Amino acid sequence: DGSLSFLEGTVFPHTCDSIQRLSDVWRINTKFNFHLDVVLPVKLTTDSARDYMKDVMKKFRRDLEKAMGVTITDEKLAASVKLYNAIRAKLKEIYELRSSAPGAISGADMYAVIKAGMMMDRADFLAALEKLAAEVKEKAAQAGGKAPKRVMLAGGICNHPNFYGIIEEYGAAVVWDELCTGTRSFEGAIAESAPAVDAIAKRYLDDSVCPAKHNGNTARADNLLALVKEKKAQGVLFIYLKFCDPQCFDYPYMKEALDKAGVPSMLYEVEEQPQAEGQIRTRFETFIDML
């Protein structure tokens, strides 16, 4: 409808089937100057997958240079790696502060920060994060009162900020997550000593595994249990977008792993528009009471 007319073009990383088909829909129905697909490997544990990922990144660099009419130099890439590493480190610092003192920043505000980071200029975002981190650190040092129950979110996206407010209203707090719109977006630094393209490829391969990828049969459950223990979470709330098959395939064995470890959990499926707030409140209150 023209509301994205400021874009030069689009890039789709192929992860799950839904994204691949969405890429087809965009390519057929939009009129941007270019449309690029970055076809990522599915199995991440082999030498051939590592070689393939490096080649994908190198091809993407060439394709983007051609599409944009620019030269992406090694120097520019190295500078970008440092900037992104600084952003990720600062986001993790704020997350760690919230984990140790949940009242230092609300869940809804943290959600807003992550979302802003998907849209803002990188340098402006880093400057804002540095200021925010100092404020959150000061609030964390002054934190007191009754400690809330500690909840961890797991899944793909949590695009409903009111969820955090309801959880906090019932005496709990989200102290960590393994969401795509959360820690997945900033976990793992890119090695600054290695060639930039190779280092970027390695970061994707070594990152906590996405449900649309394969890195061993128990990788996601092992990672989830380690985070629960490290962050002292008392329960896990799975937030799944309805009909997201990769997430749903993983859920049974992840729940089983939590059950064996004695960690309570609950699955809540969401659509683009959430259910009536009364239903959400009832389920969240019941789960928090159970903790």
Side-chain angles (χ1 to χ4, degrees):
D1 66 2
S3 60
L4 297 177
S5 59
F6 60 89
L7 294 179
E8 292 290 333
T10 50
V11 178
F12 276 82
H14 279 194
T15 51
C16 64
D17 289 346
S18 298
I19 295 297
Q20 294 184 39
R21 299 292 72 79
L22 182 61
S23 174
D24 293 338
V25 171
W26 273 58
R27 183 173 56 251
I28 293 167
N29 292 284
T30 60
K31 305 297 180 185
F32 298 118
N33 293 337
F34 68 87
H35 181 105
L36 299 179
D37 289 305
V38 182
V39 185
L40 305 170
V42 173
K43 192 173 181 179
L44 307 178
T45 54
T46 63
D47 290 339
S48 58
R50 293 182 178 275
D51 292 339
Y52 173 72
M53 180 69 93
K54 290 178 185 178
D55 287 342
V56 166
M57 293 295 109
K58 290 171 183 175
K59 180 180 184 299
F60 176 43
R61 179 182 184 175
R62 295 193 301 269
D63 290 345
L64 198 57
E65 285 179 322
K66 181 179 179 181
M68 298 287 288
V70 299
T71 300
I72 303 174
T73 64
D74 290 341
E75 291 75 19
K76 286 180 180 178
L77 271 178
S80 184
V81 164
K82 287 184 178 180
L83 178 59
Y84 272 77
N85 277 345
I87 288 171
R88 291 186 180 114
K90 198 56 66 175
L91 279 170
K92 188 166 186 178
E93 179 186 343
I94 297 171
Y95 253 67
E96 294 283 7
L97 288 166
R98 183 181 66 157
S99 181
S100 62
I105 180 171
S106 71
D109 284 349
M110 196 68 241
Y111 164 87
V113 170
I114 293 289
K115 193 164 185 178
M118 299 176 185
M119 300 179 238
M120 288 179 64
D121 172 84
R122 302 291 82 195
D124 291 346
F125 184 51
L126 178 58
L129 279 178
E130 289 170 343
K131 181 181 178 183
L132 176 64
E135 293 174 359
V136 173
K137 189 174 183 178
E138 185 177 339
K139 288 181 180 178
Q142 300 169 355
K146 184 180 178 181
K149 295 176 182 179
R150 300 174 65 82
V151 174
M152 181 174 161
L153 299 186
I157 67 172
C158 180
N159 206 28
H160 305 299
N162 58 324
F163 282 8
Y164 296 96
I166 293 171
I167 290 170
E168 289 162 6
E169 187 179 330
Y170 290 124
V174 176
V175 296
W176 206 259
D177 67 56
E178 60 108 55
L179 301 172
C180 300
T181 51
T183 60
R184 288 184 191 281
S185 66
F186 63 76
E187 282 282 22
I190 300 171
E192 296 181 12
S193 57
V197 174
D198 291 352
I200 291 168
K202 186 176 187 301
R203 188 242 170 190
Y204 281 126
L205 287 160
D206 294 344
D207 201 12
S208 56
V209 68
C210 165
K213 304 299 175 187
H214 178 75
N215 195 11
N217 291 334
T218 63
R220 287 199 68 202
D222 293 344
N223 180 62
L224 182 61
L225 284 171
L227 286 172
V228 166
K229 184 177 180 180
E230 179 186 342
K231 306 305 175 186
K232 298 180 173 61
Q234 295 166 265
V236 175
L237 180 56
F238 289 91
I239 304 290
Y240 281 2
L241 193 62
K242 214 168 185 63
F243 309 120
C244 178
D245 290 339
Q247 294 282 0
C248 294
F249 291 152
D250 283 350
Y251 172 70
Y253 92 86
M254 292 177 74
K255 181 184 185 303
E256 183 181 16
L258 291 173
D259 288 346
K260 286 181 178 178
V263 180
S265 67
M266 185 184 83
L267 170 62
Y268 190 84
E269 285 191 299
V270 297
E271 300 184 39
E272 184 59 28
Q273 298 300 321
Q275 294 173 308
E277 190 167 297
Q279 297 179 45
I280 299 170
R281 285 181 172 277
T282 299
R283 294 203 61 193
F284 283 17
E285 183 180 17
T286 301
F287 177 63
I288 293 166
D289 282 347
M290 182 175 65
L291 301 183

